[in-house]
Amino acid sequence: MTATVDANTDASYVLLQRLVDVNSGTMNLEGVREVGRMMKAELEPLGFEVRWVNQDAVGRAGHLIAEHKGKKGAKRLLLIGHMDTVFEPSSPFQKFKREGDWAEGPGTSDMKGGLVVMVEALRAMKAAGALKDANIVIVLTGDEERSGTPLATARADLIAAGKASDVALEYEALVRSEGKDWGSIARRSSSDWTLKVSAKSGHSSGIFKPEVGDGAIYEMARILSDFRKELPEPYLTYNVGVAAGGASAAFNADETAVTATGKDNIIPAAAIARGDLRTLTDEQTERARAKMREIVKHHLPGTEAEITFEEGYPAMAPTDANRAVLAELNGVNRDLGLPEMPELDPSKRGAGDISHVAPFVPGLAGVGAAGTGAHAPGERVDLTSLPLQAKRMAVLMYRLSQEKR
């Protein structure tokens, strides 16, 4: 298998360039479908039955699902990835450019490099006769970067595959730092919250008087300040992304901008804020939300406030079952003469699709290619990490596929 990966390295770089040069920003539905067609062309010759699941109901392109049926009673592997990027057709950052052992381009590391690692690992297994008995399901989503809603619909096929599987491997970017490759056994959750405050208005000379009160902006400031003082605990973050207040305040249609009106001599009647919440476990999510609700309900005079929470990506908690999969990967590392991969601090990973199946199946995140600058112009991938990761994954998947359920 390792010899096959080495022999096919140059061809894998060609595949990466072809994938990167197709714009597949999440809302470029045809571009996402084209990447799906390209991945289908790679997977069908390896013996996978490939189907496309439209996601018109949630306003997204769809998902690619591929299945390879092997030996009955053997472990069933779930391989997870996504075909979309954050770079829509309007972005000036569009094309693949190679510079020595690095390549720049949209999605090179997040995560078209991971798609290539997946294909090359499976191709190596096929060449060695190690794929024929493997039970593998691949789910490549078309909207990981900007998920369709409701998530129950957008991730229904992924969750169903997770419930039927024994191990999950997510081909998002490998974390490489401090001269080490790290094993990701956890990912934090990501969800949004919105705060809306209303208050009595009037002439500014009357602020703080009992018959008027403190105004909406002071109440919003109190709430946000209390969040900062009362919420802290390990692995919990709670960002305020946008806030405004005045005589009026309102979000735009997709809640990415706010407008406010007012004068310095008018007590503000409205204030709004929006942010995100990231946690290590779903229990931590509920605990943080309960604290936030408790803080919000204690109002300054003359004010009212409410906070709402939106559905988001759940947490992939660190578990002993996930550690056991990392231990198997480190067995592969030893046999390949590679250093052991220590556990990555969960605060160094964002949310990802594997979290949707984490309650049902153990697994690893970040088994794709290593890179830098994800989600920004100049995103790069370390090309030398592609064959390295393909070797690791080919051997790991082969060994896992030989184990009994």
Side-chain angles (χ1 to χ4, degrees):
M1 289 189 286
T2 60
T4 299
V5 171
D6 286 336
N8 205 52
T9 296
D10 289 342
S12 72
Y13 297 161
V14 172
L15 174 60
L16 176 62
Q17 179 169 358
R18 289 176 53 231
L19 289 168
V20 170
D21 281 346
V22 174
N23 178 280
S24 58
T26 308
M27 302 311 296
N28 180 9
L29 306 190
E30 182 51 36
V32 175
R33 294 187 187 106
E34 176 60 22
V35 172
R37 288 189 285 268
M38 296 170 72
M39 289 300 294
K40 178 180 179 180
E42 299 296 327
L43 294 171
E44 282 187 333
L46 301 178
F48 283 82
E49 295 180 6
V50 182
R51 60 190 175 95
W52 184 261
V53 180
N54 286 318
Q55 290 290 297
D56 296 343
V58 298
R60 299 295 186 267
H63 309 319
L64 182 143
I65 299 178
E67 184 170 6
H68 186 281
K69 295 180 180 178
K71 184 169 57 178
K72 288 185 178 181
K75 278 189 175 178
R76 187 177 176 90
L77 311 186
L78 171 61
L79 313 186
I80 301 170
H82 64 89
M83 300 170 287
D84 63 320
T85 76
V86 300
F87 302 98
E88 300 293 343
S90 59
S91 169
F93 188 54
Q94 291 290 339
K95 293 298 180 180
F96 180 96
K97 182 174 70 173
R98 181 173 178 177
E99 297 177 348
D101 287 336
W102 288 80
E104 179 182 291
T108 45
S109 64
D110 186 17
M111 59 155 278
K112 292 178 178 179
L115 297 180
V116 173
V117 169
M118 182 189 297
V119 167
E120 294 306 321
L122 294 169
R123 196 189 314 279
M125 292 175 69
K126 175 78 170 179
L131 185 59
K132 60 183 177 63
D133 291 334
N135 293 303
I136 299 175
V137 172
I138 300 171
V139 178
L140 304 181
T141 60
D143 61 341
E144 195 269 352
E145 301 293 5
R146 189 177 176 185
S147 302
T149 56
L151 276 170
T153 299
R155 293 297 177 267
D157 295 282
L158 175 61
I159 291 170
K163 289 179 176 179
S165 299
D166 300 296
V167 181
L169 300 172
E170 181 190 61
Y171 280 76
E172 289 263 28
L174 169 73
V175 172
R176 178 173 282 172
S177 66
E178 302 172 17
K180 300 176 184 177
D181 292 348
W182 295 79
S184 298
I185 66 164
R187 298 194 75 147
R188 290 195 301 162
S189 70
S190 177
S191 59
D192 296 327
W193 55 266
T194 300
L195 175 67
K196 295 183 178 181
V197 181
S198 60
K200 293 180 182 178
S201 187
H203 196 283
S204 62
S205 62
I207 190 134
F208 308 135
K209 292 181 178 179
E211 63 271 21
V212 180
D214 289 23
I217 291 178
Y218 276 119
E219 169 66 348
M220 180 175 70
R222 175 199 69 83
I223 292 169
L224 299 180
S225 178
D226 284 354
F227 285 174
R228 183 68 184 90
K229 290 185 291 186
E230 298 184 28
L231 291 180
E233 59 180 83
Y235 297 110
L236 172 67
T237 55
Y238 36 93
N239 181 55
V240 184
V242 61
S248 67
F251 289 109
N252 65 353
D254 60 3
E255 299 188 319
T256 59
V258 291
T259 56
T261 63
K263 294 183 178 180
D264 56 8
N265 62 353
I266 297 175
I267 297 171
I272 52 178
R274 183 172 171 83
D276 75 354
L277 183 69
R278 295 175 185 267
T279 63
L280 186 59
T281 67
D282 293 339
E283 291 78 14
Q284 188 178 46
T285 302
E286 292 309 311
R287 185 165 62 249
R289 288 178 174 180
K291 288 181 181 179
M292 295 169 82
R293 292 188 185 101
E294 183 67 20
I295 290 167
V296 168
K297 79 177 186 180
H298 298 290
H299 307 304
L300 291 177
T303 68
E304 296 289 336
E306 65 172 358
I307 190 168
T308 56
F309 299 94
E310 297 179 15
E311 66 173 353
Y313 272 52
M316 176 189 180
T319 64
D320 289 341
N322 294 349
R323 289 189 178 94
V325 183
L326 178 57
E328 294 209 46
L329 175 55
N330 277 324
V332 172
N333 284 327
R334 285 191 295 274
D335 293 340
L336 292 176
L338 299 170
E340 183 169 302
M341 297 168 66
E343 281 185 28
L344 179 71
D345 180 343
S347 66
K348 296 181 178 180
R349 281 218 87 99
D353 275 338
I354 193 172
S355 296
H356 291 289
V357 302
F360 317 113
V361 58
L364 294 176
V367 300
T372 62
H375 287 207
E379 178 180 337
R380 300 197 305 162
V381 67
D382 181 349
L383 293 172
T384 66
S385 71
L386 272 70
L388 172 63
Q389 286 297 93
K391 292 173 186 178
R392 279 174 169 154
M393 290 304 106
V395 179
L396 177 63
M397 291 192 294
Y398 169 64
R399 292 181 178 179
L400 291 171
S401 70
Q402 299 303 299
E403 298 173 1
K404 291 183 180 180
R405 297 197 70 182

XYZ file of all heavy atoms in Angstrom, residues 207-245:
305
model
N -32.416 60.001 32.277
C -31.873 58.649 32.426
C -31.581 58.339 33.895
O -31.127 59.204 34.644
C -30.607 58.438 31.569
C -30.206 56.961 31.559
C -29.440 59.289 32.072
C -29.876 56.411 30.259
N -31.861 57.135 34.278
C -31.683 56.568 35.625
C -32.777 57.001 36.602
O -32.804 56.504 37.734
C -30.307 56.893 36.228
C -29.153 56.547 35.331
C -28.108 57.453 35.157
C -29.103 55.333 34.657
C -27.028 57.143 34.332
C -28.032 55.020 33.834
C -27.002 55.919 33.662
N -33.656 57.913 36.209
C -34.753 58.268 37.096
C -35.735 57.098 37.173
O -35.935 56.381 36.195
C -35.463 59.523 36.607
C -34.610 60.781 36.722
C -35.370 62.005 36.256
C -34.503 63.274 36.427
N -35.215 64.477 35.949
N -36.360 56.885 38.334
C -37.227 55.713 38.501
C -38.322 55.596 37.451
O -38.668 54.488 37.035
C -37.819 55.922 39.904
C -36.818 56.768 40.613
C -36.240 57.677 39.571
N -38.869 56.731 37.033
C -39.968 56.652 36.070
C -39.495 56.365 34.642
O -40.298 56.106 33.755
C -40.777 57.947 36.088
C -40.015 59.186 35.656
C -39.295 59.880 36.810
O -39.044 59.222 37.845
O -38.984 61.075 36.662
N -38.176 56.408 34.393
C -37.641 56.163 33.052
C -36.783 54.904 33.026
O -37.033 53.971 32.257
C -36.809 57.373 32.548
C -36.259 57.083 31.144
C -37.675 58.624 32.520
N -35.755 54.852 33.831
C -34.897 53.671 33.847
C -33.552 53.919 33.193
O -33.150 55.058 32.940
N -32.887 52.813 32.880
C -31.479 52.875 32.480
C -31.231 52.837 30.964
O -30.097 53.026 30.525
C -30.718 51.701 33.106
C -30.564 51.865 34.614
O -31.375 52.594 35.221
O -29.650 51.244 35.180
N -32.226 52.559 30.187
C -32.037 52.505 28.739
C -31.499 51.165 28.261
O -30.883 50.397 29.011
N -31.703 50.895 26.983
C -31.398 49.571 26.427
C -29.910 49.285 26.336
O -29.469 48.152 26.525
C -32.047 49.439 25.047
N -29.101 50.294 26.048
C -27.667 50.036 25.865
C -27.001 49.678 27.189
O -26.161 48.771 27.245
C -26.987 51.238 25.190
C -27.473 51.350 23.737
C -25.468 51.092 25.224
C -26.895 52.529 22.975
N -27.376 50.366 28.282
C -26.811 49.983 29.579
C -27.215 48.556 29.957
O -26.425 47.810 30.539
C -27.251 50.969 30.665
C -26.386 52.201 30.751
C -26.923 53.468 30.536
C -25.031 52.111 31.064
C -26.144 54.608 30.619
C -24.232 53.229 31.140
C -24.793 54.479 30.916
O -23.999 55.600 30.985
N -28.445 48.199 29.652
C -28.879 46.822 29.970
C -28.105 45.806 29.142
O -27.670 44.771 29.661
C -30.389 46.685 29.738
C -30.934 45.259 29.776
C -30.837 44.573 31.135
O -30.138 45.076 32.049
O -31.442 43.491 31.287
N -27.903 46.082 27.846
C -27.107 45.169 27.031
C -25.685 45.080 27.571
O -25.109 43.985 27.661
C -27.087 45.617 25.575
C -26.257 44.704 24.668
S -26.347 45.145 22.916
C -25.431 46.687 22.897
N -25.107 46.226 27.945
C -23.742 46.229 28.471
C -23.658 45.424 29.766
O -22.677 44.695 29.999
C -23.281 47.658 28.700
N -24.681 45.552 30.637
C -24.682 44.764 31.875
C -24.676 43.275 31.581
O -23.901 42.502 32.158
C -25.931 45.095 32.711
C -26.047 44.219 33.970
C -27.447 44.214 34.531
N -28.411 43.516 33.686
C -28.596 42.191 33.688
N -27.845 41.406 34.452
N -29.507 41.652 32.909
N -25.536 42.855 30.650
C -25.646 41.435 30.331
C -24.331 40.906 29.769
O -23.822 39.869 30.215
C -26.798 41.214 29.340
C -28.142 41.492 30.018
C -26.758 39.783 28.778
C -29.315 41.564 29.066
N -23.761 41.627 28.813
C -22.520 41.151 28.194
C -21.366 41.144 29.195
O -20.523 40.239 29.174
C -22.175 42.008 26.976
C -23.206 41.994 25.841
C -22.727 42.881 24.698
C -23.486 40.595 25.350
N -21.343 42.126 30.073
C -20.310 42.158 31.106
C -20.463 40.989 32.078
O -19.469 40.356 32.475
C -20.373 43.480 31.869
O -19.418 43.507 32.910
N -21.708 40.668 32.430
C -21.936 39.536 33.343
C -21.603 38.208 32.675
O -21.141 37.277 33.347
C -23.373 39.542 33.846
C -23.616 40.607 34.905
O -22.643 41.260 35.321
O -24.783 40.788 35.316
N -21.835 38.104 31.367
C -21.374 36.905 30.653
C -19.878 36.722 30.874
O -19.407 35.626 31.181
C -21.633 37.034 29.150
C -23.059 36.859 28.706
C -23.414 37.081 27.382
C -24.044 36.480 29.591
C -24.715 36.915 26.949
C -25.366 36.318 29.164
C -25.695 36.548 27.847
N -19.149 37.809 30.703
C -17.692 37.735 30.803
C -17.243 37.338 32.208
O -16.263 36.618 32.381
C -17.089 39.104 30.430
C -15.571 39.134 30.424
C -15.016 38.291 29.291
N -13.559 38.233 29.335
C -12.857 37.320 29.995
N -13.489 36.374 30.689
N -11.548 37.333 29.982
N -17.975 37.786 33.237
C -17.577 37.513 34.614
C -18.042 36.148 35.114
O -17.343 35.505 35.898
C -18.136 38.603 35.533
C -17.479 39.966 35.358
C -17.985 40.963 36.370
C -19.449 41.343 36.119
N -19.899 42.422 37.034
N -19.205 35.698 34.681
C -19.838 34.539 35.308
C -19.767 33.242 34.507
O -19.956 32.159 35.061
C -21.310 34.849 35.620
C -21.477 36.008 36.601
C -22.925 36.245 36.971
O -23.722 35.275 36.939
O -23.275 37.409 37.287
N -19.476 33.307 33.214
C -19.486 32.098 32.395
C -18.184 31.305 32.373
O -18.222 30.102 32.093
C -19.864 32.438 30.944
C -21.296 32.879 30.685
C -21.484 33.163 29.206
C -22.293 31.840 31.150
N -17.024 31.898 32.620
C -15.773 31.187 32.333
C -15.654 29.798 32.952
O -15.957 29.593 34.127
C -14.708 32.127 32.916
C -15.301 33.473 32.817
C -16.756 33.268 33.108
N -15.243 28.856 32.123
C -14.857 27.514 32.539
C -14.020 26.921 31.409
O -14.071 27.415 30.279
C -16.068 26.638 32.868
C -17.046 26.438 31.733
C -18.214 25.544 32.154
O -19.177 26.038 32.770
O -18.138 24.330 31.860
N -13.243 25.890 31.689
C -12.349 25.352 30.649
C -13.096 24.942 29.373
O -14.180 24.367 29.434
C -11.721 24.136 31.340
C -11.760 24.480 32.796
C -13.046 25.234 32.986
N -12.523 25.291 28.227
C -12.977 24.934 26.886
C -14.253 25.653 26.443
O -14.762 25.398 25.355
C -13.167 23.414 26.745
C -11.878 22.651 26.915
C -11.663 21.859 28.035
C -10.864 22.758 25.981
C -10.461 21.171 28.206
C -9.662 22.082 26.138
C -9.472 21.284 27.256
O -8.285 20.619 27.416
N -14.783 26.555 27.251
C -15.973 27.316 26.883
C -15.566 28.679 26.359
O -14.804 29.403 27.006
C -16.886 27.486 28.099
C -18.089 28.427 27.917
C -19.072 27.842 26.913
C -18.773 28.678 29.264
N -16.058 29.043 25.170
C -15.887 30.404 24.668
C -17.244 30.948 24.250
O -18.133 30.202 23.842
C -14.916 30.478 23.471
O -15.350 29.578 22.448
C -13.508 30.120 23.896
N -17.401 32.278 24.349
C -18.692 32.925 24.101
C -18.398 34.299 23.524
O -18.208 35.275 24.235
C -19.515 33.015 25.394
C -18.672 33.282 26.612
C -18.441 34.577 27.066
C -18.055 32.235 27.268
C -17.615 34.824 28.150
C -17.231 32.466 28.366
C -17.024 33.760 28.800
O -16.199 34.002 29.869
N -18.334 34.362 22.227
C -17.950 35.579 21.537
C -19.155 36.460 21.242
O -20.249 35.955 20.960
C -17.264 35.222 20.213
C -16.806 36.453 19.459
O -16.068 37.264 19.998
N -17.258 36.593 18.231
N -18.949 37.781 21.314
C -19.930 38.750 20.819
C -19.437 39.219 19.461
O -18.409 39.889 19.365
C -20.075 39.951 21.775
C -21.175 40.884 21.271
C -20.359 39.480 23.192
N -20.155 38.859 18.406
C -19.691 39.172 17.060
C -20.145 40.506 16.540
O -19.426 41.177 15.792
N -21.361 40.948 16.940
C -21.896 42.214 16.463
C -22.873 42.723 17.515
O -23.580 41.946 18.155
C -22.582 42.043 15.085
C -23.743 41.077 15.157
C -23.027 43.374 14.514
N -22.896 44.046 17.708
C -23.808 44.646 18.676
C -24.113 46.081 18.260
O -23.274 46.754 17.655
C -23.203 44.634 20.086
N -25.326 46.547 18.584
C -25.713 47.925 18.271
C -26.891 48.320 19.141
O -27.631 47.467 19.646
C -26.071 48.074 16.794
N -27.079 49.623 19.324
C -28.213 50.108 20.093
C -28.512 51.549 19.761
O -27.663 52.268 19.220
